[in-house]
Amino acid sequence: KGGGGRAGAGRGRRMGAAERLAPYRARAPAAVKGALEALGRGPRLFVVQRPGSTSFVVQEEEWEEGEGDEGAEPPAPASPTGSGGGSPEGPAGPSVGAGRRGRKTFRVLIGSRVSCTCQRRAAEPELCVHTLFVLTRVLRVPPSNPIIWQLSLIDRELEEVMKCSLAAGKGG
């Protein structure tokens, strides 16, 4: 008798593998738009390890301008595999090091929860340049696709992400 209202309310909600852990976002938040813009002008990013199909270790190389650079330019930002002149582990040769400030490594997970270790202490985690780098540059999801600004992906969306990656070819 008393549970009739609850049963009716529960019927419209699908439970199981397709349940989203964070609410769907129809529009990209300002922070995500800013992070997308920062990909083109921010620190150099590249994947140094891919422990699984949806797990990535991303290295960020920061540059400080004007410190003994003497005409040297920092490498092109946001290269998915370090193709700016070296191995996936980073640029080769000492000529690149004059203006380098340092390297930081982060783990990015794409799945039911999209996360990066740079957000560990954030009260309200948001997508960062590392997660957006993996989604747009490594997995090749178009920046206009609403999947890239979701904090949580359902199975169908994760399959779409993998299809984008496969469609782009295996050389990326």
Side-chain angles (χ1 to χ4, degrees):
K1 270 183 165 178
R6 274 190 173 154
R11 258 186 253 148
R13 190 170 183 218
R14 269 179 96 180
M15 299 298 282
E19 188 172 340
R20 187 180 300 277
L21 297 178
Y24 180 82
R25 304 194 292 187
R27 296 188 179 146
V32 172
K33 288 179 183 177
L36 279 169
E37 290 172 7
L39 273 178
R41 57 179 162 68
R44 182 177 183 205
L45 302 172
F46 46 97
V47 173
V48 293
Q49 188 179 11
R50 190 170 178 175
S53 60
T54 60
S55 177
F56 303 84
V57 178
V58 174
Q59 193 166 73
E60 174 183 300
E61 191 172 78
E62 293 181 329
W63 281 78
E64 191 169 302
E65 295 179 28
E67 259 192 34
D69 293 345
E70 292 157 21
E73 292 183 23
S79 172
T81 58
S83 59
S87 69
E89 286 76 35
S95 62
V96 178
R100 186 180 306 145
R101 187 183 330 168
R103 294 181 179 181
K104 298 176 186 173
T105 304
F106 304 98
R107 180 176 294 267
V108 174
L109 299 174
I110 307 295
S112 60
R113 210 32 109 181
V114 178
S115 64
C116 178
T117 54
C118 78
Q119 297 281 314
R120 258 186 279 187
R121 292 180 188 91
E124 292 183 36
E126 184 54 83
L127 299 176
C128 62
V129 293
H130 311 111
T131 55
L132 294 169
F133 165 74
V134 167
L135 286 165
T136 61
R137 304 282 172 93
V138 179
L139 297 173
R140 309 212 188 228
V141 179
S144 59
N145 190 326
I147 286 175
I148 68 160
W149 58 77
Q150 303 306 321
L151 292 171
S152 173
L153 301 179
I154 58 174
D155 291 346
R156 177 188 54 78
E157 292 168 335
L158 193 53
E159 288 171 15
E160 186 177 336
V161 166
M162 292 299 129
K163 285 179 186 174
C164 287
S165 177
L166 291 173
K170 294 183 181 180

